[in-house]
C-alpha cells in the first residue's frame, strides 16, 4: 500500500494513508514491556518474588495428624461393617452349591439337635435352627457374605437338596426385587444359576430357603418352617 496521499481519490483514504505514513516513521519504545515480560518469565529477577513454603509439621502436629487420619478411617470402617450385607441371588446360589456339595467345612448331621449342637460349636451366636425333624437332614455349616455370618442347614425335600440359611437381620438383608405376599406375610423372591430362593424375616431373624424346587413349593415350605 502506498502511503502517498496523492495516489488516493477518496478523501478518507488520503487521511488514513497520511496517518499510516506517520506511524511507519515513529519509534516505539518497548523497554517497559520488555521489563515486565522478563519479570513474568523469570521469577528470580522479580524483587517481590516470595518462595511458597509448605508448613513444616512439628512432631506433635505430625502425631495429631496421624491420629486424625486413623480415627477417620476407623469410623468409615465401623460404618461400613455395621451395615447388613446384601444377600444377592448370585451370592446365595454360590452358597447353596457349597452347602450341598459336602465341602470339608460342612458337618453331616442326622437330627436337628445334633445340627444345633454343631452350629453352637462353630458359631456360638448362631440363630436357633427351626424344628425340621421330619426332613431328611444332610449337613450344616457356616457361610459368610462379606464379614457377616449365616447358619446353613441342608436337607432333602422331594428328593432334592434344600438349604435353609439363617442370620440376624442386622447382619444380612434381602436384596430388592420381586415380592410375593402369602397369608399376610411378604416373601422376597430370587433366582440365579438355576437355584430358586425365597427370603423372609421373622422376629429379628433373616431366613432364606433355596434349591431347585419351584418358587411356589419353596414358599409353602418356608411358611411351614416359620410356624
Amino acid at each position: 500500500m502506498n502511503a502517498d496521499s496523492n495516489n488516493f481519490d477518496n478523501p478518507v483514504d488520503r487521511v488514513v494513508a497520511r496517518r499510516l505514513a506517520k506511524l511507519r516513521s515513529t519509534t516505539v519504545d518497548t523497554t517497559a514491556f520488555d521489563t515486565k515480560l522478563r519479570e513474568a518469565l523469570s521469577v528470580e529477577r522479580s524483587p517481590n518474588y516470595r518462595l511458597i513454603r509448605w508448613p513444616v509439621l512439628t512432631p506433635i502436629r505430625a502425631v495429631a495428624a496421624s491420629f486424625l487420619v486413623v480415627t477417620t478411617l476407623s469410623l468409615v470402617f465401623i460404618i461400613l461393617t455395621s451395615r447388613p450385607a446384601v444377600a444377592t441371588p448370585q451370592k446365595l446360589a454360590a452358597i447353596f452349591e457349597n452347602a450341598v456339595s459336602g465341602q470339608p467345612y460342612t458337618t453331616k448331621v442326622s437330627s436337628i439337635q445334633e445340627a444345633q449342637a454343631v452350629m453352637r460349636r462353630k458359631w456360638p451366636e448362631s440363630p436357633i435352627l427351626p424344628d425340621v425333624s421330619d426332613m431328611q437332614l444332610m449337613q450344616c455349616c457356616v457361610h459368610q457374605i462379606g464379614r457377616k455370618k449365616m447358619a446353613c442347614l441342608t436337607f432333602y425335600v422331594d428328593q432334592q437338596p434344600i438349604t435353609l440359611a439363617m442370620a440376624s437381620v442386622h447382619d444380612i438383608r434381602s436384596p430388592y426385587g420381586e415380592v410375593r405376599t402369602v397369608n399376610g406375610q411378604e416373601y422376597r423372591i430370587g433366582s440365579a444359576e438355576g437355584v430358586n430362593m425365597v427370603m423372609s424375616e421373622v422376629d429379628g431373624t433373616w431366613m432364606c430357603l433355596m434349591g431347585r424346587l419351584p418358587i411356589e413349593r419353596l414358599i409353602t415350605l418356608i411358611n411351614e418352617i416359620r410356624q
Side-chain angles (χ1 to χ4, degrees), residues 41-63:
L41 296 178
S42 179
V43 294
E44 294 180 355
R45 296 189 179 187
S46 175
N48 298 324
Y49 171 73
R50 294 293 184 270
L51 180 64
I52 298 176
R53 299 179 182 273
W54 294 99
V56 178
L57 292 178
T58 64
I60 295 178
R61 289 182 177 178
V63 171

Side-chain angles (χ1 to χ4, degrees), residues 19 44 51 63 66 86 97 104 106 113 119 137 139 144 153 155 161 175 178 186 189 214 226:
R19 291 185 178 181
E44 294 180 355
L51 180 64
V63 171
S66 300
V86 180
E97 295 295 348
T106 63
Q113 291 78 16
M119 294 306 304
L137 301 184
Q139 54 218 15
Q144 290 187 202
L153 177 65
F155 47 90
E178 182 183 354
E186 290 187 350
I189 307 301
R226 281 171 50 87

Side-chain angles (χ1 to χ4, degrees), residues 85-103 105-106 119 123 138-154 161-167 171-173 192-193 195-197 199 206-212:
V86 180
T88 64
Q90 292 74 20
K91 293 177 181 178
L92 290 175
I95 288 174
F96 171 78
E97 295 295 348
N98 290 331
V100 303
S101 61
Q103 297 291 334
Y105 52 79
T106 63
M119 294 306 304
W123 180 22
M138 292 176 58
Q139 54 218 15
C140 62
C141 55
V142 177
H143 277 280
Q144 290 187 202
I145 295 181
R147 295 177 176 270
K148 307 300 184 179
K149 295 181 179 181
M150 61 172 64
C152 295
L153 177 65
T154 301
I162 299 297
T163 296
L164 173 66
M166 301 181 65
D171 294 335
I172 304 291
R173 73 169 180 84
E193 306 298 331
V195 180
N196 294 324
M197 50 209 69
M199 290 158 273
W206 172 90
M207 62 173 56
C208 174
L209 197 62
M210 47 189 163
R212 290 189 168 84

Side-chain angles (χ1 to χ4, degrees), residues 16 18 35 41 45 62 102 111 121 134 151 154 192 198-199 212:
V16 173
R18 285 196 298 271
T35 301
L41 296 178
R45 296 189 179 187
S111 67
R121 290 197 301 270
D134 55 335
T154 301
V198 176
M199 290 158 273
R212 290 189 168 84

